[in-house]
Amino acid sequence: METEWTAREIAEKIYALDEAVYRSLDSTLGRVYTQERESCLLAITDHIQRRKIHILRSEMTLILNMIRTVENRSVQAQLLDEFDAVMEQLAQLPPELTPADILDRELADLKDFSQNGNRWILCVGREFGSAGTEIAFRLARRLDLAFYDKEIFELAQKQERPLWDGAQTGGGRKGTILRELSQNHGLPSRDAAFFTLSEQIQDLARSKSCVIVGRCGDAILRQSRIPHISVFIEAPFPLRVKRTMEMKRLPYREASRYVKKMDRQHRDYYHAYTGKRWGGPTNYDLCINSAIFGIEGTVELLCKLLPLPPKVEEKSGE
Amino acid sequence: METEWTAREIAEKIYALDEAVYRSLDSTLGRVYTQERESCLLAITDHIQRRKIHILRSEMTLILNMIRTVENRSVQAQLLDEFDAVMEQLAQLPPELTPADILDRELADLKDFSQNGNRWILCVGREFGSAGTEIAFRLARRLDLAFYDKEIFELAQKQERPLWDGAQTGGGRKGTILRELSQNHGLPSRDAAFFTLSEQIQDLARSKSCVIVGRCGDAILRQSRIPHISVFIEAPFPLRVKRTMEMKRLPYREASRYVKKMDRQHRDYYHAYTGKRWGGPTNYDLCINSAIFGIEGTVELLCKLLPLPPKVEEKSGE
């Protein structure tokens, strides 16, 4: 019954802490545990044993909120020490009491760029009109990274030119990838353009640090297990319409229709080739509302967020 | 016709740059502008004049990608200077050519904490099982901020105790807020509990820096124009079910049902009182997939990302 004894012991400490805080406080806040001592202890012990973590945490937080209002700094420091000691003891109870983590080891491993020769890949999805492409472009410039978006992929395709030095032109691994993709996704085998693109993006990500906008880059790299960070840029619909009116010099109705049409195209494209919902937050590591931060603000935010590309190493290795 | 001439001039610079890069490059990449000179110049001029920014940017980016492969460093530096000069000239064309910003000045102003006596408020929404509450709790401890969630609001309500020193107990501004809310939202006037909560949250945010989890905190503060940061924590459904199985010791089917039920409750609650879609990315400043970063990783990320509360000033001012 060691656990039970420990639970009771901790309960006593919590109760005593609450009492001590109340006494050292000239406050209207009162106590957390207002009932008769033994009833309180039974309830706390029960919460510890039955792992009612959210209740314990709330009660501890109320005590902490009160400690913050203690004016005498040395008394406050002492109470904080006691508080920390109790929290520590709670954390050392059998592991079930500590909240389970939500980390997906397999997904988290996809952030380890050392697995890809320290090449640093950022995939950016965006709602039309959210300035996502502009943000990605400026970020790439700021970090001195190559930049690829739909226009560039299409331009290269139209001109039948490779996208970067050392790009494989056709053949090679294409057959394997075709098989992999059709096995794994049940994609219509007629859609050769997407397979070529998928191969291009994988080769690209294996050859250099870069920023890739759209084109299901995130899904393609996740599927092929190439480390990358994926971000989705969105903004409220009315603001995207407003920006489209300015950019394309369109009246409201047409701009509104245009934004809807482009969103639909992106959504359909993404869904057709990945089976996933475009813009669904859990497809990405992070979604940013660009209307809050603006173009430059979002670039700043992403710079803070992202592990900086290992530029120095890459350059000195050339 | 000054603009036309400038457009033509810039077009010539772009064409010349492409040519210079091609010449100084021993590469398989070739040139961006492969057609006869005059045709290319007409096309580029047209793109500048008709503000086809995305095409211009793609072409410039292809040129930049090539400059990056130039091995002679001093030649590369010179080409980069020329590239920057052209980009600068493009940016100085009439404002329509520079991409319009997406910033919403009114929303952005809600990040200016000086408007609220430098009180720093973070509202955290979360999907059930995403560890959002745990993340918010740890963040509050890390930043030494008061923490409020559903349990704490309910505990205070049950015990009929104020939540913090100086909290108004009933009366006061409630009447006004009731009117405001029913005017602005057409909410059912019977729902007094939400009005009380809304009043509590506004008073709270006007009195101290804190972290508020759930309870439509973001919508309430946005509506009452109190500066705050809002973050939504989400994670893929299967991982949230897995975590719930561990935390609540439930078998798969029950955990799955439980997560769905809790999500539904949150969604209905948020929608009933705000008229907005719960978890809709554009309701928040930022959405984070906690499965990618884990609990501690998400706390770290938020610390890196967010403007930190002006703790030092606050303390020294006491």
Side-chain angles (χ1 to χ4, degrees), chain A residues 102-104 107 222 276 280-285, chain B residues 127-130 233-244 259 263 288-293:
Chain A
I102 186 73
L103 187 74
D104 183 329
L107 286 177
R222 191 189 279 210
K276 284 165 182 270
T282 51
N283 290 341
Y284 307 91
D285 303 345
Chain B
E127 288 183 327
F128 187 81
S130 69
I233 310 286
E234 26 89 23
F237 181 74
L239 288 163
R240 296 190 287 125
V241 172
K242 180 168 163 279
R243 184 162 181 273
T244 304
V259 170
D263 277 353
I288 301 178
N289 186 344
S290 57
I292 302 286
F293 305 101

Side-chain angles (χ1 to χ4, degrees), chain A residues 27-32 51 53-54 57-59 61-62 64-66 68-69 73 83-84 87 96 99-104 107-108 111 127 129-131 133-134 137 140-141 144-149 151-152 155 159 161-166 234-236 239-240 243 246-249 281-282 284-295 301 304-305 315 318, chain B residues 27-32 51 53-54 57-59 61-62 64-66 68-69 73 83-84 87 96 99-104 107-108 111 127 129-131 133-134 137 140-141 144-149 151-152 155 159 161-166 234-236 239-240 243 246-247 249 279 281-282 284-295 301 304-305 315 318:
Chain A
S27 161
T28 58
L29 287 177
R31 297 174 64 166
V32 174
R51 291 156 179 82
I53 299 171
H54 59 293
R57 187 171 52 202
S58 301
E59 293 173 347
T61 303
L62 272 176
L64 183 61
N65 286 350
M66 287 196 296
R68 286 214 181 80
T69 68
R73 291 284 148 159
F83 179 87
D84 285 338
M87 289 299 278
E96 293 83 356
D101 205 342
I102 186 73
L103 187 74
D104 183 329
L107 286 177
K111 308 300 141 196
E127 289 183 326
S130 70
T133 307
E134 180 66 26
F137 179 72
R141 292 239 47 207
D144 197 20
L145 291 174
F147 172 88
Y148 297 91
D149 69 358
E151 317 293 337
I152 294 175
L155 204 63
Q159 295 184 354
R161 61 204 297 287
L163 274 167
W164 69 97
D165 248 351
E234 26 89 24
L239 288 163
R240 297 191 287 123
R243 184 162 179 273
E246 287 168 22
M247 297 278 292
K248 303 231 170 252
R249 302 183 160 186
T282 51
Y284 307 91
D285 303 345
L286 202 69
C287 299
I288 301 178
N289 185 344
S290 56
I292 302 285
F293 304 101
I295 292 176
L301 196 73
K304 262 198 265 178
L305 178 77
K315 287 220 160 147
E318 271 176 13
Chain B
S27 160
T28 58
L29 288 178
R31 295 174 66 166
V32 174
R51 292 158 177 82
I53 299 171
H54 60 293
R57 187 170 54 201
S58 300
E59 293 174 347
T61 304
L62 273 175
L64 183 61
N65 286 350
M66 286 197 296
R68 286 214 181 78
T69 68
R73 291 284 148 159
F83 179 88
D84 285 338
M87 289 299 278
E96 293 83 355
D101 204 342
I102 185 74
L103 186 73
D104 182 330
L107 286 177
K111 308 300 143 196
E127 288 183 327
S130 69
T133 308
E134 181 65 26
F137 179 72
R141 292 239 45 207
D144 197 21
L145 291 175
F147 172 88
Y148 297 90
D149 68 357
E151 315 294 336
I152 293 175
L155 205 62
Q159 295 184 353
R161 60 204 297 288
L163 274 167
W164 70 98
D165 248 353
E234 26 89 23
L239 288 163
R240 296 190 287 125
R243 184 162 181 273
E246 287 168 22
M247 296 279 291
R249 303 182 159 189
T282 50
Y284 307 91
D285 304 345
L286 210 66
C287 299
I288 301 178
N289 186 344
S290 57
I292 302 286
F293 305 101
I295 291 176
L301 193 71
K304 243 201 283 182
L305 217 60
K315 286 220 163 149
E318 270 178 15

Side-chain angles (χ1 to χ4, degrees), chain A residues 226-287:
Chain A
I226 298 175
H228 65 286
I229 293 171
S230 71
V231 170
F232 191 76
I233 310 287
E234 26 89 24
F237 180 74
L239 288 163
R240 297 191 287 123
V241 173
K242 179 168 165 277
R243 184 162 179 273
T244 304
M245 288 167 69
E246 287 168 22
M247 297 278 292
K248 303 231 170 252
R249 302 183 160 186
L250 289 174
Y252 172 76
R253 268 176 73 96
E254 282 172 48
S256 168
R257 268 197 217 126
Y258 192 73
V259 170
K260 276 183 193 157
K261 193 183 93 181
M262 294 305 286
D263 276 354
R264 197 165 49 238
Q265 276 181 14
H266 284 148
R267 187 162 46 240
D268 292 350
Y269 183 86
Y270 193 87
H271 187 262
Y273 292 116
T274 70
K276 284 165 182 270
R277 192 162 72 84
W278 174 75
T282 51
N283 290 341
Y284 307 91
D285 303 345
L286 202 69
C287 299

Side-chain angles (χ1 to χ4, degrees), chain A residues 13-15 57 59 71 74-75 91 101 108 131 152 208 211 218 229-230 234 303 309:
Chain A
K13 289 201 179 187
I14 294 176
Y15 184 86
R57 187 171 52 202
E59 293 173 347
E71 285 187 3
S74 73
V75 173
D101 205 342
I152 294 175
K208 63 189 335 190
V211 174
D218 57 307
I229 293 171
S230 71
E234 26 89 24
C303 282

Side-chain angles (χ1 to χ4, degrees), chain B residues 50-82:
Chain B
R50 286 170 56 217
R51 292 158 177 82
K52 297 272 186 190
I53 299 171
H54 60 293
I55 296 180
L56 280 173
R57 187 170 54 201
S58 300
E59 293 174 347
M60 289 303 285
T61 304
L62 273 175
I63 294 176
L64 183 61
N65 286 350
M66 286 197 296
I67 295 177
R68 286 214 181 78
T69 68
V70 172
E71 285 186 3
N72 183 320
R73 291 284 148 159
S74 73
V75 174
Q76 189 186 46
Q78 206 181 327
L79 291 169
L80 279 174
D81 283 347
E82 283 171 42

